[in-house]
Amino acid sequence: MTRQRTSGNLTLALLAACTFAGRAQGAGVPLDEIRQVLREQALRAPAESVLQDLDAANLASGLQAIDPAARYFPRALYRSPNRGRDSMSGIGAELLPSGDDLWLLPFLGGAAAAAGLTERARLRTIDGRSVAGLSLDEIAQRLRGPEGTRVVLGVEDAAGDTWRLTIQRRSFHPLDVELVQPGGQPVLRVREFAAGLTRPALLATLDFIAEGASRSKHQSIILDLRDATGGDLFEALDIAALFLPEGAPLATLVARGGVTQTIRAPAGADLEQPLILLIGPGTASAAEILAGILRDHGRARLVGQTTYGKCDSQTEVRLSDGSVLRFTNRAVRLPSGEHCSGVGIVPDLAVDTATLNDLSRLVPRASGALVAP
Amino acid sequence: MKPSMGWSMALIALWLGGCASVSTDPRAGGLAGGIKGLSTGAYDARIQEREDRLAVLRQVQAELETERGDLETTKAKRKQQVAAERARVRRMNRDIAALNQRVNSLSAAANRNDQRVQTLRIRVAQLQNQSARLQSDLDALEGSGIGDSEADLRRAQLEQQRASLQAEYDLLNRMALDLAR
């Protein structure tokens, strides 16, 4: 699972126009400030000896030894995660290693989708060469290229059909909420929770569906969170609140020393449609917290596989030189009191991996979950 | 003998030609069929059928023209909506920049550790980021082929996101005004 997440992030960085860099740039790193922030604000206070061992040359590994989610961003390389996904350039797909397979996850509106790849598929060849035996870096290198250039991919879809497609690399703007309709059933796909942006995009998409078809007020909503790797915690809480009555407990944030703060649903949309969430090992952080909240309130049926297992939240502190330190400062407890880190959220209806990867099979199973006893 | 034999052959050929066709289309009918049609009224029926068919074609053409016109109108309307949305976001960006300056002044005047000012600074910075992305998305949408379903969904999302950010701006602006008092 660790490999999956790490690699997923790597791929995003390689395919996106704007990238993070997780390494420090040698000299000039404000180490004392970093130590001070972690000493005072990290969820679990690090041992002083560990803090003193931090050095500029190995900052990334040193930080991760303290907190696996901790990152340092030099000023020039910092990009706020609150922006959501910026314009991307390339083949318009994420690369997700899973077991022995390498999956391509196309973005709606991207180059891969324009070439006909609208659902996830296993990547088999690049320009006629098998990807077997190639490292992720080598694969990413072959997939990258200037805008306007072409690459021929051999893929195998979830049903096992193989085909070749020629993709012309181009730039595009990913949607905050994608709408796919396998078998005519609308499915809203969220990959990231961008502060202030994902919730209105979700509402707009629901309105869009309602306008486009004579959709019943009570027709179910299917949210696809299989590839939602997290994002802004409060955006996820705001989305949970859309489906819950005012005052419903959403989560309890636990800070250093056991200081707690319970967040409750504000007055809002109180959407009444039956809700199904598609989850899997790629569903992490804010996304699995959303799933856990709605499950605890009996408001959604969870279909898929157990989630990644990270119910902590991070914060960012800007240091005096403009660089940014991100670190874990709160644990998140679900309304039931559960803390999902290291455990994940278990689905109400578990499906095998082949079904999880095939939306056209997963959606009928998920729809059936609503009526099943 | 020879000429009359020739005419007989030609008539037989025409007669067979007429028999070979069972179509009611006047264009496909042979001479005999035509002659026969004149006397039975079938020719009038064929003319009527042809006129009916033409009327249907004209109707379809008119509907297509209307549809095309509707699509053009929708496209133009969408373009106007995107342009209006871009103008709103530009205006909001100016307002946020002004708010940012006010918050910076507040920050300089107040105790730097004032938690409320710090919170405001963070939220205004976040709002600037979000609004900048919205602007970029709208610019890209205007440059793309407006009118398909995906573009319509994109526009709907951007409109709602802009409204949401505007509400956030109004809230932060009120907070800044309260802090300035």
Side-chain angles (χ1 to χ4, degrees):
Chain A
M1 250 192 279
T2 305
R3 182 185 170 220
Q4 189 175 51
R5 293 268 298 150
T6 308
S7 306
N9 289 342
L10 167 76
T11 308
L12 249 185
L14 287 166
L15 298 183
C18 299
T19 62
F20 285 133
R23 63 184 176 83
Q25 286 189 325
V29 176
L31 284 172
D32 283 340
E33 267 186 87
I34 291 172
R35 292 187 185 108
Q36 186 68 12
V37 169
L38 292 174
R39 194 179 287 127
E40 291 176 356
Q41 299 179 39
L43 178 61
R44 282 168 280 274
E48 193 58 33
S49 59
V50 179
L51 285 176
Q52 293 307 321
D53 282 348
L54 287 177
D55 65 72
N58 300 302
L59 188 57
S61 57
L63 283 174
Q64 286 188 39
I66 294 171
D67 168 6
R71 300 280 185 281
Y72 171 77
F73 302 94
R75 181 184 184 135
L77 298 175
Y78 176 72
R79 170 190 169 277
S80 169
N82 294 323
R83 273 181 76 116
R85 293 172 192 271
D86 271 323
S87 170
M88 293 180 173
S89 180
I91 64 166
E94 285 180 298
L95 203 54
L96 176 73
S98 174
D100 292 334
D101 288 323
L102 204 50
W103 290 87
L104 276 176
L105 312 179
F107 285 98
L108 213 64
L117 187 68
T118 53
E119 276 305 318
R120 60 175 62 189
R122 295 175 187 86
L123 177 63
R124 296 297 190 209
T125 62
I126 302 171
D127 287 329
R129 167 159 186 186
S130 169
V131 295
L134 293 178
S135 70
L136 274 173
D137 278 349
E138 288 170 319
I139 292 167
Q141 189 72 29
R142 286 164 193 273
L143 291 175
R144 278 192 308 198
E147 201 173 330
T149 56
R150 291 168 196 270
V151 61
V152 180
L153 302 185
V155 297
E156 180 185 339
D157 64 22
D161 295 327
T162 56
W163 38 300
R164 282 156 54 98
L165 65 158
T166 303
I167 298 176
Q168 183 168 20
R169 297 178 182 96
R170 68 179 198 197
S171 65
F172 73 105
H173 288 238
L175 284 159
D176 287 299
V177 175
E178 295 183 325
L179 175 62
V180 291
Q181 311 210 36
Q185 165 69 52
V187 175
L188 290 82
R189 181 177 291 153
V190 176
R191 302 195 205 216
E192 187 180 20
F193 294 88
L197 297 174
T198 306
R199 178 183 174 275
L202 185 73
L203 285 170
T205 309
L206 289 172
D207 288 346
F208 183 82
I209 295 167
E211 282 168 17
S214 52
R215 183 180 164 82
S216 156
K217 190 185 165 195
H218 299 290
Q219 194 178 341
S220 60
I221 297 169
I222 300 182
L223 268 187
D224 182 2
L225 301 176
R226 291 174 301 160
D227 307 317
T229 52
D232 186 78
L233 171 65
F234 289 97
E235 194 68 11
L237 298 183
D238 281 347
I239 289 174
L242 290 175
F243 300 95
L244 294 170
E246 184 179 357
L250 299 174
T252 300
L253 309 182
V254 185
R256 168 86 68 91
V259 178
T260 62
Q261 178 192 8
T262 298
I263 312 286
R264 294 179 182 278
D270 202 4
L271 297 174
E272 291 175 346
Q273 294 99 319
L275 183 61
I276 297 167
L277 304 185
L278 308 179
I279 57 171
T283 310
S285 196
E288 55 190 327
I289 290 168
L290 168 65
I293 294 167
L294 293 170
R295 178 206 60 187
D296 281 0
H297 284 287
R299 183 60 187 85
R301 292 277 289 172
L302 311 186
V303 179
Q305 293 185 354
T306 301
T307 60
Y308 179 73
K310 176 185 167 290
C311 281
D312 295 315
S313 81
Q314 286 73 45
T315 191
E316 291 178 343
V317 169
R318 195 169 277 280
L319 306 172
S320 58
D321 66 346
S323 60
V324 171
L325 178 68
R326 180 185 297 164
F327 60 96
T328 302
N329 69 334
R330 282 175 292 205
V332 181
R333 295 203 176 279
L334 299 172
S336 62
E338 182 189 343
H339 178 58
C340 84
S341 288
V343 184
I345 303 289
V346 180
D348 299 308
L349 174 66
V351 300
D352 58 33
T353 302
T355 305
L356 186 72
N357 282 323
D358 187 348
L359 202 59
S360 65
R361 285 165 64 188
L362 182 57
V363 166
R365 288 288 302 277
S367 301
L370 276 181
V371 291
Chain B
M1 282 296 283
K2 271 188 182 174
S4 93
M5 184 69 171
W7 275 107
S8 302
M9 292 295 282
L11 277 172
I12 288 165
L14 284 170
W15 184 257
L16 287 175
C19 287
S21 171
V22 291
S23 167
T24 53
D25 186 343
R27 291 167 299 182
L31 178 61
I35 293 164
K36 189 182 166 197
L38 279 174
S39 58
T40 60
Y43 184 76
D44 290 342
R46 285 178 201 157
I47 293 286
Q48 185 59 47
E49 185 193 0
R50 189 178 175 187
E51 280 175 357
D52 290 349
R53 226 181 269 179
L54 276 171
V56 169
L57 281 173
R58 282 195 196 102
Q59 175 72 19
V60 169
Q61 197 176 4
E63 281 169 8
L64 284 172
E65 283 294 322
T66 309
E67 202 174 319
R68 194 173 65 87
D70 287 350
L71 278 173
E72 288 298 322
T73 308
T74 305
K75 203 170 166 181
K77 196 173 146 197
R78 297 276 188 267
K79 264 193 159 172
Q80 279 176 358
Q81 286 172 324
V82 171
E85 205 53 34
R86 288 183 74 202
R88 286 188 203 107
V89 172
R90 274 199 300 274
R91 201 159 47 239
M92 186 168 72
N93 280 341
R94 281 199 296 273
D95 290 346
I96 296 171
L99 174 62
N100 193 41
Q101 281 190 341
R102 287 206 302 280
V103 173
N104 283 339
S105 313
L106 270 176
S107 189
N111 178 354
R112 208 177 137 73
N113 293 324
D114 185 324
Q115 190 59 45
R116 291 167 306 170
V117 176
Q118 288 309 313
T119 302
L120 197 57
R121 275 175 68 100
I122 291 167
R123 288 177 70 175
V124 171
Q126 184 172 308
L127 192 61
Q128 273 186 313
N129 275 324
Q130 293 159 334
S131 195
R133 213 211 73 184
L134 211 60
Q135 180 80 62
S136 155
D137 282 359
L138 278 165
D139 291 348
L141 181 59
E142 189 164 63
S144 72
I146 296 170
D148 64 12
S149 173
E150 188 195 311
D152 285 347
L153 173 61
R154 196 177 290 274
R155 186 184 52 76
Q157 288 189 6
L158 291 172
E159 275 180 13
Q160 194 124 347
Q161 287 172 329
R162 199 264 314 148
S164 178
L165 294 188
Q166 184 69 48
E168 173 79 359
Y169 164 78
D170 292 342
L171 181 72
L172 295 180
N173 198 32
R174 279 200 298 277
M175 278 174 69
L177 289 171
D178 285 348
L179 282 169
R181 277 188 199 123

